[in-house]
Amino acid sequence: MYDYLIVGSGLFGAVFAHEAKKAGRSVLVIERRENVGGNIYCEEMEGINVHKYGAHIFHTSYKDVWEYVNQFVEFNNYVNSPVANYKGELYNLPFNMNTFAKLWGIVTPDEAAAKIAEQRTAIKGEPQNLEEQAISLVGTDIYTKLIKGYTEKQWGRSCTELPAFIIKRLPVRYTFDNNYFNDRYQGIPVGGYNKLIDALLDGIEVRTGVDYNECRAEYEGMAKKVVYTGPVDAYFDYKLGQLEYRGLRFETERLEEVNHQGVAVMNYTEREVPYTRVIEHKHFEFGTQPVTYVTKEYPADWQPGEEAYYPVNNERNQNLYQQYAELAAKEEKVIFGGRLAEYKYYDMDDVIKSALACAGRELQ
Ligand SMILES: Cc1cc2nc3c(=O)[nH]c(=O)nc-3n(C[C@H](O)[C@H](O)[C@H](O)COP(=O)(O)OP(=O)(O)OC[C@H]3O[C@@H](n4cnc5c(N)ncnc54)[C@H](O)[C@@H]3O)c2cc1C
């Protein structure tokens, strides 16, 4: 009998498995997909790591998590500096002095701040919808060119029909700094994310192509405890109803070009272009291959059975999740962890932190 059966080989499962093995426990990992790694899995195409389930950039301010991952793999010095494409006009993101200089031909931070202050006054009184909220925070030009179309594609609705509370803050930087993240540490594993997962799972028995919820009888009794990182509603056979997700659709193309767009992430901020982003994967790792792979990312409605990307944290889903969480708490021999089991958006560093904390409690 194993000490732990770990359901799912994403970051949560892999970190827990690694820690359990290190603590001398026996572990078996089962994974529904044919490959390990969960959402950070990459498919290698002609030497380019294609981020199969969406572009992933590792960034953290937790020193302990940074040191933890660096034990397994070296990180390169990639800094995420996406570019917005609005009808062929290119703007640096996040909103910073480079963006403002291009938008208005201004030179100093004071001039940029004055422009924004002047345009914010277009909204008088309490903002009634997302459009008014965004304009009241950053003014009309940034809203029109860089926020409106992108947000409308993401939500499938016009900004005037979306509630104001969706956008609470829109950070603007009065420096010439295109680094998207504010975190202390950032990068992509040298050789790709699979290296990180493979190192975490080194020496651990893994069975792929096994869905726990479909062959539970077979695995029941195989381990003293289960660490379950799949969807919490699926564990309970959806008996209280299904939790909803936002979907994404990816279209990947091989291009006979060395360099297609000159940046890893280009956001398309006009509504008329149906995708929100184009990812050129080789730039995450400074690739010099003679070809390139690009992925168009389309927001999509989610249907049960499809890949679950982002939880929809509205009242219905939060209430339903709470009820499932109560059932989960009664399962004494099962630990529920990770983004699907906790129905929560987790960045990679947070999920690692959470798995380490869970292992710390469990493996004393
Ligand atoms: C589009 C997108 C982009 C993202 N970009 C970033 C980013 O740039 N930076 C960042 O820090 N984070 C990013 N994230 C978040 C990141 O993907 C997560 O933090 C991380 O993948 C969570 O790991 P996990 O182990 O909880 O879940 P997952 O990676 O989903 O792993 C769960 C695993 O369990 C398996 N499984 C599920 N059910 C079963 C079952 N019944 N039986 C067996 N196996 C099962 C699944 O197949 C999967 O492999 C992004 C997320 C998305 C959706």
Side-chain angles (χ1 to χ4, degrees):
M1 190 191 267
Y2 294 94
D3 290 313
Y4 293 99
L5 171 68
I6 294 162
V7 179
S9 64
L11 270 177
F12 192 98
V15 166
F16 189 94
H18 180 86
E19 293 303 302
K21 178 170 182 274
K22 200 167 78 184
R25 313 296 164 86
S26 56
V27 293
L28 169 64
V29 176
I30 57 173
E31 168 56 56
R32 186 169 55 86
R33 295 178 184 162
E34 292 304 329
N35 51 264
V36 292
N39 267 5
I40 67 171
Y41 170 72
C42 294
E43 200 167 287
E44 201 244 81
M45 317 280 268
E46 297 177 77
I48 299 168
N49 289 309
V50 173
H51 296 211
K52 193 92 195 278
Y53 300 99
H56 278 73
I57 297 118
F58 194 92
H59 57 96
T60 189
S61 289
Y62 304 129
K63 192 162 190 259
D64 53 345
V65 171
W66 182 245
E67 285 171 354
Y68 185 78
V69 291
N70 274 275
Q71 294 174 76
F72 303 106
V73 64
E74 201 183 330
F75 278 71
N76 71 15
N77 59 338
Y78 175 82
V79 169
N80 198 34
S81 307
V83 171
N85 184 326
Y86 175 75
K87 303 189 177 184
E89 294 169 23
L90 302 184
Y91 296 97
N92 290 109
L93 296 174
F95 312 138
N96 72 76
M97 283 300 293
N98 291 307
T99 329
F100 309 145
K102 177 89 187 260
L103 269 173
W104 303 310
I106 55 85
V107 173
T108 66
D110 282 351
E111 286 173 304
K115 266 281 183 203
I116 291 175
E118 174 200 319
Q119 295 195 1
R120 290 175 59 183
T121 60
I123 301 301
K124 314 256 182 293
E126 192 64 25
Q128 295 304 309
N129 54 46
L130 192 147
E131 172 166 299
E132 293 187 4
Q133 172 78 342
I135 295 173
S136 75
L137 291 168
V138 291
T140 41
D141 287 342
I142 297 176
Y143 167 70
T144 309
K145 294 193 167 183
L146 302 175
I147 297 172
K148 183 176 188 294
Y150 194 86
T151 310
E152 293 184 341
K153 285 187 277 192
Q154 276 193 318
W155 291 89
R157 276 157 73 190
S158 149
C159 284
T160 51
E161 293 163 17
L162 288 165
F165 72 81
I166 292 179
I167 292 185
K168 293 196 177 74
R169 295 174 52 244
L170 283 170
V172 288
R173 253 185 220 160
Y174 293 104
T175 53
F176 291 90
D177 178 3
N178 298 329
N179 180 352
Y180 195 74
F181 298 113
N182 290 315
D183 283 321
R184 171 73 180 76
Y185 310 102
Q186 183 173 177
I188 304 285
V190 173
Y193 285 96
N194 298 3
K195 288 226 150 127
L196 171 61
I197 289 290
D198 290 347
L200 284 164
L201 293 175
D202 188 33
I204 290 170
E205 186 182 349
V206 181
R207 296 185 196 167
T208 54
V210 179
D211 188 323
Y212 175 71
N213 296 324
E214 280 169 16
C215 32
R216 212 181 281 189
E218 195 184 319
Y219 284 89
E220 207 104 56
M222 235 198 224
K224 292 179 196 151
K225 264 191 161 175
V226 173
V227 175
Y228 179 84
T229 73
V232 65
D233 53 355
Y235 180 91
F236 293 104
D237 200 19
Y238 308 103
K239 68 179 175 190
L240 304 174
Q242 281 211 318
L243 291 164
E244 293 161 322
Y245 286 86
R246 263 175 49 221
L248 285 177
R249 188 166 61 80
F250 299 112
E251 249 175 44
T252 299
E253 268 180 285
R254 175 189 191 273
L255 300 175
E256 294 270 354
E257 287 174 55
V258 173
N259 183 3
H260 180 64
Q261 62 182 20
V263 71
V265 182
M266 188 170 286
N267 289 7
Y268 282 78
T269 56
E270 66 196 90
R271 190 167 185 176
E272 291 68 30
V273 173
Y275 39 86
T276 44
R277 307 199 294 178
V278 175
I279 307 299
E280 186 170 12
H281 302 270
K282 72 192 307 181
H283 295 306
F284 287 125
E285 298 180 57
F286 316 119
T288 54
Q289 297 82 354
V291 296
T292 195
Y293 282 81
V294 295
T295 301
K296 292 187 177 119
E297 196 172 300
Y298 296 81
D301 286 336
W302 175 83
Q303 304 295 335
E306 291 177 352
E307 213 52 70
Y309 284 102
Y310 299 109
V312 180
N313 294 113
N314 59 19
E315 214 177 312
R316 176 220 176 246
N317 290 313
Q318 281 314 317
N319 288 340
L320 186 54
Y321 170 67
Q322 275 318 319
Q323 294 172 45
Y324 277 121
E326 281 163 28
L327 291 180
K330 292 186 190 137
E331 298 280 298
E332 283 174 10
K333 301 278 180 232
V334 186
I335 297 165
F336 292 80
R339 66 177 196 105
L340 297 165
E342 296 178 65
Y343 192 64
K344 181 173 171 179
Y345 179 81
Y346 264 127
D347 269 330
M348 291 182 272
D349 61 334
D350 286 317
V351 96
I352 292 170
K353 205 165 182 62
S354 160
L356 287 173
C358 174
R361 287 190 300 273
E362 182 64 25
L363 301 167
Q364 308 159 359

